[in-house]
Structure formats: structure tokens, C-alpha cells
């Protein structure tokens, strides 16, 4: 059961948007707001105004010195970057990319070889046809 104190604490901590409230308390808080609008209404309106101000404010980028301090403190604590965890994914991508490149090269080579053979056969047929048009016919020679 939702109490007034707990409802106000949820609104103060999570704001007016019920989607940000903890999932296990969301239904009870929404039911409380429906039953006690005289308490929930002003609290939600105040939280909504604060949410609007927070969303409108610019986000400051951290300075380079702050970033360096955070990295240094993480290194002192023994933390490392997570790049080792994705190494297998990078290798898999490289292997798949190499496979696609090899398949593409094999297709180009097969296409060139096949085209060369088909073109040679067509050229030979065209040469024989042209030779038959320009040469004497056997009936003309034999009479």
C-alpha cells in the first residue's frame, strides 16, 4: 500500500514521469495519485516544472583534466578497458570480411575465365562465317 510519504519520495527522486518510477511501485503510486489528487496534483506539477527545467538546461562536457583524473583513478583501482571482451567479435568480423572478399575475388576470376572461353568460341564461329562469305563456294570451284 502506497503512503503519502512514499509517494512524495518517489516524485522527489524520480520526477513526474511515471515511466521513470520503479516498476514494482509504479502501479501503487499511480493508484495513489488517482485516489488522492489533492496531494498528488501539486507534487506532480512541481516535479513536472523541475523536469522541464532539467531537460532545457545544456549538458556540460567534462574537461580533459577531469577525464584524465577518472581514467587514472580507474587504473589505480585495477580496472581495465573492456576491449578484451570484444576481441573475439573483432576477429569474427575480420574472418567474415576476409571470407566475403575471397568469394568476391573467386567470382571475378571465374567470370573472366568463363567469359574468355565463351568469347573465343563466338569469335571462332564469326571467323568461319565470314570466311564462308568471302571464299569461293565448292560448287563454283567443282562446277
Amino acid at each position: 500500500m502506497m503512503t503519502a510519504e512514499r509517494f512524495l519520495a518517489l516524485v522527489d527522486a524520480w520526477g513526474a514521469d511515471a515511466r521513470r518510477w520503479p516498476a514494482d511501485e509504479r502501479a501503487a503510486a499511480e493508484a495513489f495519485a488517482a485516489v488522492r489528487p489533492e496531494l498528488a496534483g501539486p507534487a506532480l506539477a512541481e516535479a513536472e516544472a523541475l523536469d522541464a527545467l532539467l531537460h532545457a538546461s545544456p549538458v556540460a562536457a567534462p574537461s580533459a583534466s577531469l577525464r584524465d583524473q577518472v581514467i587514472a583513478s580507474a587504473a589505480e583501482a585495477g580496472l581495465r578497458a573492456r576491449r578484451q571482451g570484444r576481441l573475439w567479435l573483432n576477429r569474427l568480423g575480420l574472418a567474415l570480411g576476409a571470407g566475403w572478399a575471397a568469394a568476391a575475388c573467386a567470382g571475378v576470376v571465374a567470370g573472366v575465365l568463363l567469359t574468355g572461353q565463351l568469347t573465343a568460341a563466338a569469335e571462332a564461329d564469326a571467323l568461319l562465317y565470314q570466311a564462308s562469305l568471302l571464299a569461293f563456294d565448292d560448287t563454283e570451284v567443282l562446277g
Side-chain angles (χ1 to χ4, degrees):
M1 178 167 178
M2 181 66 58
T3 64
E5 292 80 22
R6 182 62 188 150
F7 178 80
L8 293 174
L10 281 175
V11 172
D12 283 343
W14 299 99
D17 189 1
R19 293 175 295 183
R20 292 190 302 238
W21 297 347
D24 56 337
E25 295 182 283
R26 187 176 304 142
E30 289 174 339
F32 180 85
V35 172
R36 302 275 311 266
E38 72 281 354
L39 178 71
L44 289 173
E46 183 181 339
E48 214 169 274
L50 180 61
D51 288 346
L53 284 174
L54 290 174
H55 289 299
S57 64
V59 177
S63 66
S65 64
L66 177 62
R67 184 184 66 82
D68 293 342
Q69 288 175 357
V70 169
I71 291 173
S73 66
E76 289 175 11
L79 300 176
R80 292 182 294 154
R82 293 185 184 182
R83 291 185 184 164
Q84 288 82 14
R86 291 189 48 200
L87 186 60
W88 67 271
L89 186 60
N90 293 339
R91 287 184 180 165
L92 178 65
L94 182 63
L96 290 176
W100 277 104
C105 289
V108 168
V109 169
V112 167
L113 292 176
L114 183 62
T115 303
Q117 290 177 354
L118 292 176
T119 305
E123 287 177 359
D125 288 343
L127 183 64
L128 288 175
Y129 177 72
Q130 288 176 356
S132 69
L133 291 178
L134 298 175
F136 293 107
D137 194 8
D138 290 341
T139 57
E140 292 177 3
V141 172
L142 298 174

